[in-house]
Amino acid sequence: MKQIIALGGGGFSMEPENPLLDRYILDQSTQKNPRICFIPTASGDSDDYTSRYYHFFEKHRCQPSHLSLFKPPTRDLESFILEQDIVYVGGGNTKNLLVLWKEWGLDQVLRKAWEQGIVLAGISAGSICWFEEGLTDSYGDRLEPLKCLGFLKGSNCPHYDGEPDRRPSYQQFIKADKIKPGIAADDGVAIHYVGQDVHKIVSSRPDAKAYRVDYDKGVNETELATLFLGSC
């Protein structure tokens, strides 16, 4: 079963005292003690980011590891990734992430992992990267569309309620046909795909939502049913 869990924001890096989304990710593995690998490429393999990952996941029933492209743990990245049960991609600069992954062939390794049933997850850049296109601040001075890996159809916009320019920019690019219609997620929301279909949308905050955004004689923003994990 091909699964991707795309976080608009939240998780251990943004809500360290709120474990709901990260526990949800761990629960999607069929293994009782899943092997989970963090890929912090988008942050330039930030030591602080990686330390926060271990600080959270070492307290839970799993086997955490990470993959640095600046200090690779092995030459055989494919075997390293395909031994995992879950791959969790961190946030940061999506453009740099894509360039480095393609240079190392990690984009193809991750597609193979997805096709073999390894759960793929990620936040912000680690959410955008799986779609055909995403709205990114990778270029520094403004938000722009970016072509991504295309595992999932359409476009993606994280931080929909967390950054003031996200919602209007995403809608304007869709209206101008500069980015494909797609799905936007507030901070604290995870969109769980099985294959190309949205299986479930969950949140770590009661009021956080996801939206389908498209254009037909005007911008259409449709709120999608979202399950608050704190009420489960």
Side-chain angles (χ1 to χ4, degrees):
M1 182 167 65
K2 299 192 293 187
Q3 298 184 77
I4 292 177
I5 304 170
L7 280 66
F12 72 90
S13 62
M14 291 182 66
E15 298 177 330
E17 304 304 319
N18 186 342
L20 292 174
L21 292 181
D22 292 327
R23 285 179 180 169
Y24 180 83
I25 290 169
L26 288 174
D27 287 344
Q28 303 320 303
S29 172
T30 58
Q31 303 300 315
K32 291 183 179 180
N33 191 31
R35 294 162 294 186
I36 180 169
C37 177
F38 181 52
I39 304 182
T41 312
S43 67
D45 285 353
S46 165
D47 289 337
D48 175 67
Y49 200 0
T50 303
S51 295
R52 284 184 283 146
Y53 158 77
Y54 280 109
H55 180 73
F56 177 86
F57 283 98
E58 284 178 343
K59 298 176 182 177
H60 292 78
R61 187 178 295 176
C62 63
Q63 302 173 59
S65 63
H66 76 284
L67 172 61
S68 168
L69 293 182
F70 292 87
K71 297 178 182 178
T74 175
R75 286 181 176 270
D76 190 356
L77 298 185
E78 179 169 327
S79 294
F80 183 81
I81 290 294
L82 297 183
E83 289 172 352
Q84 308 299 322
D85 301 302
I86 302 169
V87 172
Y88 194 139
V89 179
N93 189 303
T94 317
K95 176 70 171 177
N96 288 346
L97 173 153
L98 292 169
V99 169
L100 282 169
W101 282 8
K102 289 175 181 177
E103 181 65 26
W104 283 83
L106 192 57
D107 55 335
Q108 296 304 314
V109 171
L110 289 168
R111 179 176 285 277
K112 184 178 290 188
W114 179 53
E115 291 172 345
Q116 290 185 10
I118 295 170
V119 178
L120 304 183
I123 177 173
S124 191
S127 172
I128 292 170
C129 66
W130 311 119
F131 292 79
E132 290 181 293
E133 297 177 340
L135 188 64
T136 183
D137 57 2
S138 294
Y139 298 95
D141 57 347
R142 61 183 182 274
L143 293 164
E144 296 182 47
L146 178 69
K147 291 191 180 301
C148 300
L149 296 177
F151 292 13
L152 298 174
K153 302 297 184 185
S155 68
N156 178 235
C157 178
H159 309 304
Y160 202 51
D161 69 337
E163 298 176 5
D165 291 339
R166 287 278 176 173
R167 186 182 238 116
S169 295
Y170 190 47
Q171 294 188 6
Q172 184 59 40
F173 282 125
I174 288 175
K175 179 179 179 181
D177 197 27
K178 293 182 177 179
I179 194 170
K180 294 176 182 290
I183 195 163
D186 289 344
D187 288 340
V189 169
I191 305 162
H192 184 179
Y193 284 84
V194 174
Q196 292 294 325
D197 299 322
V198 175
H199 169 66
K200 186 182 291 186
I201 301 173
V202 298
S203 73
S204 60
R205 297 189 286 115
D207 299 325
K209 302 294 181 183
Y211 304 86
R212 181 75 63 186
V213 186
D214 58 23
Y215 186 83
D216 182 12
K217 300 178 182 178
V219 174
N220 302 308
E221 180 186 87
T222 305
E223 182 179 310
L224 303 174
T226 303
L227 174 66
F228 172 48
L229 293 171
S231 64
C232 297

